[in-house]
Amino acid sequence: MTGTILPKEVADLARRVVEENAAAGRKVVLAESCTGGLVAAALTEVPGSSAVLDRGFVTYSNESKMEMLDVQPDIIEALGAVSVACVWAMAQGALKHSEGDVAVAVSGVAGPDGGSDLKPVGTVVFAKAVRGEEEPEAEMKLFDSNDRAEVRRQATICALELLLP
């Protein structure tokens, strides 16, 4: 892909996501926290992405997760924003507030600060929700890097991979 501000690996994957979801007739929606809109930005670099990307929610604060995506306060209070329960609720909320067929949510500790013994820097949680399916798909990953940009790049790639049909 020419004329992109993204690393080649991200740009190529975003192109695949757009092409394959367009072929499948699927609309996607994103709920992003630590990636700050990078996944949506990657998709919009691709010509024709308007046929696939319905919308993206950048819910960086806990309040925005609750207000925009209906994440229950007790989830954040008990388990934190970087938890499987939180990203699953984010993905479900993104579907509820969109026309998307599939939603991917991402939340994590990009660093260099904010980590803990339980959730060190590089901890990122992902969830995928498909409209009409009850079974959640979620996972927690630990990206081995103290480089904020690298954690966010790896999280963007993982989120894009989850959007492939």
Side-chain angles (χ1 to χ4, degrees):
M1 187 161 59
T2 61
T4 181
I5 61 171
L6 302 170
K8 182 175 179 358
E9 179 183 20
V10 174
D12 290 347
L13 184 54
R15 184 182 30 50
R16 277 189 58 209
V17 168
V18 169
E19 290 171 355
E20 292 180 26
N21 279 286
R26 290 192 339 171
K27 289 269 194 186
V28 303
V29 60
L30 299 157
E32 299 184 66
S33 187
C34 68
T35 50
L38 287 172
V39 183
L43 294 177
T44 60
E45 282 279 295
V46 180
S49 59
S50 59
V52 171
L53 179 61
D54 178 64
R55 67 193 75 187
F57 297 91
V58 178
T59 54
Y60 206 71
S61 70
N62 290 342
E63 293 76 16
S64 65
K65 290 172 183 65
M66 293 183 282
E67 291 170 12
M68 296 175 69
L69 300 174
D70 301 329
V71 175
Q72 295 300 306
D74 59 330
I75 290 174
I76 292 174
E77 290 168 14
L79 303 169
V82 182
S83 66
V84 167
C86 184
V87 292
W88 177 239
M90 288 170 65
Q92 290 289 87
L95 279 181
K96 177 182 173 185
H97 295 287
S98 74
E99 300 300 318
D101 300 300
V102 61
V104 167
V106 57
S107 184
V109 185
D113 302 317
S116 67
D117 288 342
L118 290 176
K119 297 174 188 172
V121 170
T123 303
V124 184
V125 189
F126 304 87
K128 175 181 177 179
V130 178
R131 192 173 298 282
E133 292 183 14
E134 296 297 317
E135 200 61 35
E137 182 178 329
E139 66 179 314
M140 180 179 284
K141 291 191 173 208
L142 178 59
F143 297 118
D144 187 22
S145 178
N146 287 324
D147 180 343
R148 180 178 180 84
E150 181 59 17
V151 169
R152 295 175 77 221
R153 185 191 69 78
Q154 290 181 56
T156 298
I157 289 169
C158 187
L160 287 168
E161 288 171 345
L162 285 172
L163 287 171
L164 290 169

